[in-house]
Amino acid sequence: ELKVEQNPLFLSMQEGKNYTIYCNYSTTSDRLYWYRQDPGKSLESLFVLLSNGAVKQEGRLMASLDTKARLSTLHITAAVHDLSATYFCAGAYNAGNMLTFGGGTRLMVKP
Amino acid sequence: DTGVSQNPRHKITKRGQNVTFRCDPISEHNRLYWYRQTLGQGPEFLTYFQNEAQLEKSRLLSDRFSAERPKGSFSTLEIQRTEQGDSAMYLCASSFVEAFFGQGTRLTVV
């Protein structure tokens, strides 16, 4: 059974600072996803990581995947208030591509 | 709008009543999923369809829950004899490779 753990669960940071969210998973996962969720809203897909060493960047967010360590990271560069949201990582397992989500990291970026 | 569409967006029901939610996936996606999310938690997988076939069900899906996807198009999720513990956001997602989520149906059982 795939288990996904994120840390930290809560992150308060100042604008302009850098930080990393960590996502560990327990067994082999075919794909690793990062989603963003704003309060009361659904999930917005940020990144899909398909292979070891994969790195993807969009704006101030960069995601990477190390399948040997079973670790994915979401790095935030020079945070801005608009990035305040909850970020989830999720691993996909078996041919059906069902997702197992981590508990989420609630990010608050303070001006 | 070609995204995943869910209806209704909100549903308040009395305990013991039956409710049904609908999901219209992105048209070219053959895979459809239902997830449940409670406050402060990540979504939890409920069930998965490939075309019209329901291929996987979570143990979270009790006998009171049933899902269908007739003709491999839209899907419905029915909860019979609702309980307060069923209160949650019910999310539908569809995928070809990457999963895209709908806006969800927020269920409140009073």
Side-chain angles (χ1 to χ4, degrees):
Chain A
E1 180 185 351
L2 176 62
K3 295 184 179 180
V4 179
E5 290 188 358
Q6 283 180 242
N7 68 84
L9 297 181
F10 181 77
L11 178 57
S12 178
M13 55 192 297
Q14 297 285 337
E15 279 193 330
K17 298 293 187 182
N18 304 334
Y19 210 85
T20 301
I21 300 171
Y22 296 89
C23 175
N24 291 90
Y25 54 97
S26 60
T27 62
T28 301
S29 176
D30 295 333
R31 300 182 177 93
L32 198 292
Y33 297 80
W34 285 95
Y35 287 90
R36 168 181 171 147
Q37 187 175 40
D38 292 292
K41 301 294 180 65
S42 189
L43 292 98
E44 174 191 354
S45 179
L46 295 175
F47 301 107
V48 182
L49 302 169
L50 300 177
S51 61
N52 188 42
V55 176
K56 290 196 174 180
Q57 183 163 4
E58 181 74 32
R60 300 174 188 276
L61 301 177
M62 183 175 71
S64 66
L65 179 62
D66 181 344
T67 57
K68 294 179 181 177
R70 295 179 183 162
L71 171 69
S72 180
T73 60
L74 181 66
H75 186 73
I76 303 154
T77 302
V80 293
H81 179 68
D82 285 352
L83 290 179
S84 297
T86 299
Y87 293 84
F88 290 98
C89 65
Y93 60 97
N94 80 23
N97 208 40
M98 285 84 77
L99 299 178
T100 298
F101 284 82
T105 297
R106 186 181 170 198
L107 173 66
M108 289 184 61
V109 181
K110 296 184 286 187
Chain B
D1 186 354
T2 57
V4 179
S5 176
Q6 290 187 247
N7 287 288
R9 295 289 306 279
H10 303 274
K11 179 72 176 179
I12 300 174
T13 191
K14 291 184 178 179
R15 190 175 52 183
Q17 297 294 306
N18 299 345
V19 294
T20 299
F21 310 141
R22 176 176 171 128
C23 171
D24 287 273
I26 295 171
S27 58
E28 61 266 27
H29 288 177
N30 60 345
R31 294 175 173 174
L32 186 146
Y33 310 83
W34 286 97
Y35 290 84
R36 179 172 68 188
Q37 186 178 26
T38 53
L39 198 62
Q41 303 295 318
E44 296 173 295
F45 168 74
L46 292 178
T47 191
Y48 155 60
F49 289 86
Q50 179 149 333
N51 300 313
E52 67 276 10
Q54 188 175 20
L55 298 183
E56 193 83 25
K57 289 194 290 186
S58 163
R59 60 181 180 274
L60 294 176
L61 211 67
S62 77
D63 291 345
R64 297 184 296 104
F65 287 69
S66 63
E68 294 182 340
R69 191 182 182 197
K71 302 179 182 178
S73 56
F74 70 93
S75 176
T76 58
L77 178 68
E78 181 183 16
I79 309 173
Q80 296 181 326
R81 305 181 302 283
T82 52
E83 301 172 357
Q84 286 189 322
D86 296 332
S87 296
M89 175 81 88
Y90 289 84
L91 294 164
C92 176
S94 71
S95 81
F96 190 71
V97 173
E98 181 180 354
F100 293 89
F101 283 80
Q103 293 296 308
T105 295
R106 182 169 295 283
L107 173 66
T108 303
V109 182
V110 297

